[in-house]
């Protein structure tokens, strides 16, 4: 059995996230306290109690999701389940890549929290609210989604942002182009084409100012080689060199999240049979089953999930 740990991205956040862990485990409480201190903000109160509109702000959702994921990692470690011994690889969806790298020891927890706060603020500032949008195209393959984006562009930015799973591709760009793409996608046979409730057009060339901000921020933090290889969003291949990881994180801000290819690599060349999603929600577990129906998945985000996972490994 070969296992990879995966880490969720934006959209998985929910009010109450992490509270069960904080109530049950001192290791989880310590993670939330350290993140609060690093940010000079009571982020854990927003995670546990809301309000939802404040939690959904990009600059809050990103470090919050990371904190919840790392809390799971730390609790598992306290039970003798270390990442380096039980995972052959790590991978994370968009901001989840930072969670993965923190879990694997590339970044300290405090640095990861500050990087994600910077990333969230920079992504929000890159495009004025209302000028950018994202849409999910359901039922179209990647090539068809690219054709939709090209046809809808008409001089505006319109690009593939996330290749999440077969038949689930997200596009991103200028609002008029994304709105045009909805009708074009339906004409090309999409089952559904819908705008996403996001505040900025992530993972497209409009994010170039944010990419530059992250290049600066990443140049100023200490980075170690991860304890297990990272399967990077922009390459869908294994990385261990800190300089290459830094470059991939900068490219990731404007680049495509190649999640389908990443899971295909893990379950193919990587030899992974079991995918454990650490943190809030079950989005990645659902995507993994769509990408490879033979993969065994588990979502580990609550104290009950942790107990079940520990019991399974001990059996």
């Amino acid at each position: 059995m070969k296992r990879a740990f995966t880490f969720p991205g934006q959209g998985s956040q929910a009010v109450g996230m992490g509270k069960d862990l904080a109530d049950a485990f001192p290791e989880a409480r310590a993670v939330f306290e350290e993140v609060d201190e690093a940010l000079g903000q009571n982020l854990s109160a927003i995670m546990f109690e809301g309000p939802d509109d404040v939690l959904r702000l990009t600059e809050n959702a990103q470090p919050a999701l990371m904190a919840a994921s790392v809390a799971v990692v730390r609790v598992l470690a306290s039970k003798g389940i270390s990442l380096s011994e039980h995972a052959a690889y790590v991978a994370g969806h968009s901001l989840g890549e930072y969670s993965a790298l923190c879990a694997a020891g590339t970044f300290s927890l405090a640095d990861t929290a500050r990087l994600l706060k910077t990333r969230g603020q920079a992504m929000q500032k890159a495009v004025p609210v209302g000028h950018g949008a994202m849409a999910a195209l359901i039922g179209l393959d990647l090539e068809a989604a690219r054709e939709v984006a090209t046809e809808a562009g008409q001089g505006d930015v319109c690009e593939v942002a996330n290749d999440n799973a077969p038949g689930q591709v997200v596009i991103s760009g200028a609002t008029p182009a994304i709105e045009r793409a909805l009708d074009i996608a339906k004409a090309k046979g999409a089952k559904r084409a819908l705008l996403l409730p996001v505040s900025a057009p992530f993972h497209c060339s409009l994010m170039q100012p944010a990419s530059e901000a992250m290049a600066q921020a990443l140049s100023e933090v200490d980075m170690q080689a991860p304890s297990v290889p990272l399967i990077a969003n922009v390459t869908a291949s294994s990385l261990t060199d800190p300089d290459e990881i830094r470059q991939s994180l900068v490219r990731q801000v404007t680049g495509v999240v190649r999640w389908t290819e990443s899971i295909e690599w893990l379950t193919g060349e990587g030899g992974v049979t079991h995918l454990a999603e650490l943190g809030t929600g079950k989005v990645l577990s659902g995507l993994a089953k769509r990408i490879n129906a033979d993969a065994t998945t588990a979502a580990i985000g609550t104290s009950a999930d942790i107990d079940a996972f520990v019991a399974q490994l001990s059996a």
Side-chain angles (χ1 to χ4, degrees), residues 108-182:
S108 72
L109 177 58
D111 279 344
T112 311
R114 287 188 288 261
L115 283 168
L116 285 173
K117 175 66 80 168
T118 297
R119 184 176 183 268
Q121 290 172 337
M123 292 170 97
Q124 191 60 67
K125 289 176 187 170
V127 179
V129 173
H131 288 233
M134 300 180 76
L137 308 184
I138 309 300
L140 293 184
D141 64 20
L142 179 60
E143 194 50 49
R146 284 196 179 113
E147 290 173 5
V148 169
T150 298
E151 191 173 328
Q154 298 177 25
D156 292 324
V157 170
C158 190
E159 298 164 4
V160 168
N162 302 351
D163 177 19
N164 284 333
Q168 189 185 124
V169 182
V170 174
I171 58 172
S172 182
T175 300
I178 298 300
E179 290 174 343
R180 288 192 292 269
L182 300 178

Side-chain angles (χ1 to χ4, degrees), residues 9-14 61 65 95 283:
Q10 204 161 333
S12 290
Q13 72 278 352
L65 284 159
L95 83 89
V283 170

Side-chain angles (χ1 to χ4, degrees), residues 111-276:
D111 279 344
T112 311
R114 287 188 288 261
L115 283 168
L116 285 173
K117 175 66 80 168
T118 297
R119 184 176 183 268
Q121 290 172 337
M123 292 170 97
Q124 191 60 67
K125 289 176 187 170
V127 179
V129 173
H131 288 233
M134 300 180 76
L137 308 184
I138 309 300
L140 293 184
D141 64 20
L142 179 60
E143 194 50 49
R146 284 196 179 113
E147 290 173 5
V148 169
T150 298
E151 191 173 328
Q154 298 177 25
D156 292 324
V157 170
C158 190
E159 298 164 4
V160 168
N162 302 351
D163 177 19
N164 284 333
Q168 189 185 124
V169 182
V170 174
I171 58 172
S172 182
T175 300
I178 298 300
E179 290 174 343
R180 288 192 292 269
L182 300 178
D183 291 333
I184 295 168
K186 289 169 186 170
K188 287 185 180 292
K191 292 177 184 173
R192 283 188 295 157
L194 59 156
L195 289 172
L196 295 178
V198 296
S199 55
F202 307 133
H203 298 292
C204 75
S205 54
L206 293 175
M207 287 287 112
Q208 184 57 33
S211 181
E212 292 165 6
M214 289 314 297
Q216 179 63 35
L218 286 160
S219 73
E220 296 170 355
V221 298
D222 183 48
M223 293 179 66
Q224 307 297 321
S227 56
V228 299
L230 170 79
I231 307 307
N233 287 179
V234 296
T235 64
S237 62
S238 170
L239 296 182
T240 56
D241 179 74
D243 286 336
E244 291 182 1
I245 291 170
R246 182 185 290 109
Q247 291 166 21
S248 78
L249 290 172
V250 173
R251 289 173 54 203
Q252 185 227 60
V253 178
T254 57
V256 180
V257 176
R258 296 165 61 183
W259 195 250
T260 299
E261 292 173 84
S262 296
I263 299 302
E264 287 174 343
W265 190 97
L266 282 168
T267 57
E269 188 174 335
V272 167
T273 55
H274 288 64
L275 293 157

Side-chain angles (χ1 to χ4, degrees), residues 1-7 81-91 103-104 227-229 266 272 274-276 278 309 313:
M1 179 193 302
K2 205 170 182 181
R3 182 178 286 106
F5 285 170
T6 65
F7 297 83
I81 299 172
S82 70
L83 183 146
S84 58
E85 290 180 10
H86 287 86
Y89 302 97
V90 291
S227 56
V228 299
L266 282 168
V272 167
H274 288 64
L275 293 157
L278 275 51
F309 188 59
L313 291 184

Side-chain angles (χ1 to χ4, degrees), residues 15-106:
V15 172
M17 62 189 289
K19 188 173 189 309
D20 165 72
L21 297 176
D23 290 344
F25 304 110
E27 296 83 6
R29 287 197 296 278
V31 168
F32 300 132
E33 288 166 4
E34 187 175 343
V35 169
D36 286 351
E37 184 177 349
L39 298 179
Q41 173 191 12
N42 196 351
L43 181 64
S44 59
I46 298 169
M47 294 169 64
F48 301 162
E49 301 161 16
D52 181 64
D53 60 333
V54 177
L55 177 60
R56 277 191 283 118
L57 291 173
T58 301
E59 65 178 82
N60 292 331
Q62 295 199 22
L65 284 159
M66 180 277 298
S69 289
V70 174
V72 173
V73 172
R74 297 278 175 88
V75 172
L76 288 174
S78 76
K79 295 178 176 292
I81 299 172
S82 70
L83 183 146
S84 58
E85 290 180 10
H86 287 86
Y89 302 97
V90 291
H93 191 285
S94 191
L95 83 89
E97 202 154 74
Y98 287 80
S99 309
L101 288 165
C102 180
T106 293

